Amino acid sequence: AMVMMRYHAANRDPKQFENPNEFQVDRKNARTHLAFGKGIHMCVGNMLSRKEMTVSFQQFAKRLDNIRIQEGAKLNYPPNMMLRGLANLPILFDKK
Ligand code: HEM
Protein backbone atom coordinates (compact mmCIF):
# COMPACT_ATOMS: atom_id res chain seq x y z
CA ALA A 1 0.00 0.00 0.00
CA MET A 2 1.09 3.58 -0.55
CA VAL A 3 1.90 5.39 2.70
CA MET A 4 1.68 9.17 3.16
CA MET A 5 3.99 10.45 5.89
CA ARG A 6 2.49 13.10 8.16
CA TYR A 7 5.66 14.79 9.30
CA HIS A 8 3.93 17.62 11.13
CA ALA A 9 1.98 15.11 13.22
CA ALA A 10 5.23 13.28 14.11
CA ASN A 11 6.76 16.58 15.25
CA ARG A 12 3.93 16.93 17.75
CA ASP A 13 4.11 13.39 19.06
CA PRO A 14 4.02 13.65 22.89
CA LYS A 15 5.94 10.35 23.10
CA GLN A 16 8.87 12.07 21.38
CA PHE A 17 8.51 15.70 22.50
CA GLU A 18 7.32 16.75 25.95
CA ASN A 19 4.60 19.43 25.68
CA PRO A 20 4.82 19.16 21.86
CA ASN A 21 2.67 22.21 21.16
CA GLU A 22 4.96 24.54 23.10
CA PHE A 23 7.62 26.48 21.22
CA GLN A 24 10.85 25.50 23.01
CA VAL A 25 13.94 26.13 20.92
CA ASP A 26 16.18 24.70 23.62
CA ARG A 27 14.71 21.20 23.66
CA LYS A 28 17.51 18.65 24.13
CA ASN A 29 16.12 16.50 21.30
CA ALA A 30 15.14 19.40 19.00
CA ARG A 31 17.34 18.01 16.23
CA THR A 32 15.23 14.85 16.00
CA HIS A 33 12.36 16.77 14.39
CA LEU A 34 11.13 15.63 10.98
CA ALA A 35 10.30 19.00 9.38
CA PHE A 36 12.68 18.23 6.53
CA GLY A 37 11.77 14.56 6.28
CA LYS A 38 14.20 11.69 6.79
CA GLY A 39 16.11 9.14 4.76
CA ILE A 40 16.92 9.23 1.05
CA HIS A 41 14.18 11.75 0.25
CA MET A 42 15.11 14.16 3.02
CA CYS A 43 14.80 17.76 1.85
CA VAL A 44 17.80 18.73 -0.29
CA GLY A 45 17.10 22.39 0.51
CA ASN A 46 17.35 21.93 4.28
CA MET A 47 20.76 23.59 4.67
CA LEU A 48 19.78 26.55 2.51
CA SER A 49 16.54 26.93 4.49
CA ARG A 50 18.36 26.74 7.84
CA LYS A 51 20.86 29.39 6.69
CA GLU A 52 18.06 31.67 5.41
CA MET A 53 16.23 31.36 8.73
CA THR A 54 19.42 32.06 10.72
CA VAL A 55 20.16 35.21 8.69
CA SER A 56 16.52 36.37 8.85
CA PHE A 57 16.25 35.97 12.61
CA GLN A 58 19.61 37.68 13.12
CA GLN A 59 18.37 40.66 11.07
CA PHE A 60 15.03 40.71 12.92
CA ALA A 61 16.82 40.72 16.27
CA LYS A 62 19.12 43.54 15.13
CA ARG A 63 16.38 45.84 13.83
CA LEU A 64 13.19 45.04 15.76
CA ASP A 65 12.29 45.15 19.42
CA ASN A 66 9.35 43.79 21.35
CA ILE A 67 8.14 41.56 18.50
CA ARG A 68 4.67 40.22 19.29
CA ILE A 69 1.66 38.70 17.58
CA GLN A 70 -1.10 41.24 17.04
CA GLU A 71 -3.75 40.89 19.73
CA GLY A 72 -6.85 39.11 18.43
CA ALA A 73 -5.09 38.04 15.23
CA LYS A 74 -6.81 35.14 13.53
CA LEU A 75 -4.17 32.56 12.74
CA ASN A 76 -5.09 30.51 9.71
CA TYR A 77 -3.40 27.20 8.91
CA PRO A 78 -4.60 26.19 5.43
CA PRO A 79 -5.00 22.42 5.02
CA ASN A 80 -1.86 20.86 3.59
CA MET A 81 -0.91 17.19 3.38
CA MET A 82 2.81 17.87 3.83
CA LEU A 83 3.43 20.98 5.86
CA ARG A 84 1.56 22.93 8.51
CA GLY A 85 2.11 26.60 7.79
CA LEU A 86 0.37 29.89 8.49
CA ALA A 87 -1.28 31.82 5.66
CA ASN A 88 0.01 34.98 7.35
CA LEU A 89 1.31 36.11 10.72
CA PRO A 90 0.35 39.66 11.74
CA ILE A 91 3.03 41.00 14.05
CA LEU A 92 3.74 44.26 15.79
CA PHE A 93 7.17 45.51 16.77
CA ASP A 94 9.08 48.54 17.96
CA LYS A 95 11.84 49.86 15.75
CA LYS A 96 15.28 49.68 17.38
C1 HEM B 1 11.57 25.51 5.54
C2 HEM B 1 11.67 25.13 4.26
C3 HEM B 1 11.48 23.71 3.79
C4 HEM B 1 10.82 22.66 4.36
C5 HEM B 1 10.07 22.63 5.71
C6 HEM B 1 10.96 21.52 3.48
C7 HEM B 1 10.44 20.26 3.73
C8 HEM B 1 10.66 19.16 2.94
C9 HEM B 1 10.25 17.81 3.26
C10 HEM B 1 9.46 17.38 4.51
C11 HEM B 1 10.67 17.00 2.25
C12 HEM B 1 10.53 15.46 2.18
C13 HEM B 1 9.35 15.03 1.39
C14 HEM B 1 9.27 13.50 1.34
O1 HEM B 1 9.49 12.82 2.33
O2 HEM B 1 9.00 13.02 0.27
C15 HEM B 1 11.34 17.83 1.28
C16 HEM B 1 11.90 17.38 0.12
C17 HEM B 1 12.51 18.18 -0.82
N1 HEM B 1 12.82 19.51 -0.70
FE1 HEM B 1 12.29 20.70 0.86
N2 HEM B 1 11.68 21.90 2.38
C18 HEM B 1 12.03 23.22 2.54
C19 HEM B 1 12.80 23.98 1.67
C20 HEM B 1 13.35 23.54 0.48
C21 HEM B 1 14.18 24.34 -0.40
C22 HEM B 1 14.59 25.81 -0.14
C23 HEM B 1 14.49 23.55 -1.47
C24 HEM B 1 15.32 23.84 -2.67
C25 HEM B 1 16.21 24.83 -2.75
C26 HEM B 1 13.87 22.25 -1.24
C27 HEM B 1 13.95 21.19 -2.09
C28 HEM B 1 13.45 19.93 -1.83
C29 HEM B 1 13.57 18.80 -2.74
C30 HEM B 1 14.20 18.83 -4.15
C31 HEM B 1 12.98 17.70 -2.12
C32 HEM B 1 12.84 16.28 -2.66
C33 HEM B 1 14.01 15.43 -2.22
C34 HEM B 1 13.84 13.99 -2.68
O3 HEM B 1 12.71 13.56 -2.93
O4 HEM B 1 14.85 13.30 -2.77
N3 HEM B 1 13.18 22.29 -0.05
N4 HEM B 1 11.33 19.14 1.73
Side-chain angles (χ1 to χ4, degrees):
M2 190 180 286
V3 175
M4 171 60 80
M5 294 290 290
R6 306 303 293 264
Y7 293 115
H8 50 290
N11 284 342
R12 286 166 192 265
D13 180 354
K15 289 187 196 146
Q16 177 70 8
F17 300 107
E18 206 177 308
N19 301 320
N21 295 326
E22 268 177 32
F23 180 64
Q24 297 174 10
V25 282
D26 55 355
R27 289 177 190 276
K28 287 210 164 56
N29 62 349
R31 289 197 68 86
T32 65
H33 72 80
L34 295 175
F36 291 111
K38 195 171 173 69
I40 58 166
H41 289 291
M42 184 177 175
C43 178
V44 293
N46 81 84
M47 282 176 278
L48 173 63
S49 299
R50 287 176 211 262
K51 182 54 92 180
E52 285 177 345
M53 286 186 269
T54 304
V55 172
S56 310
F57 287 122
Q58 281 168 346
Q59 292 304 315
F60 275 150
K62 246 192 251 170
R63 298 182 192 181
L64 316 180
D65 231 353
N66 192 18
I67 305 172
R68 61 220 180 259
I69 296 174
Q70 195 175 29
E71 210 174 297
K74 280 202 169 162
L75 303 184
N76 173 25
Y77 292 87
N80 185 309
M81 289 292 282
M82 285 293 295
L83 302 168
R84 184 171 187 265
L86 283 164
N88 53 53
L89 181 62
I91 59 163
L92 298 173
F93 56 86
D94 301 329
K95 203 172 164 188
K96 270 194 179 168

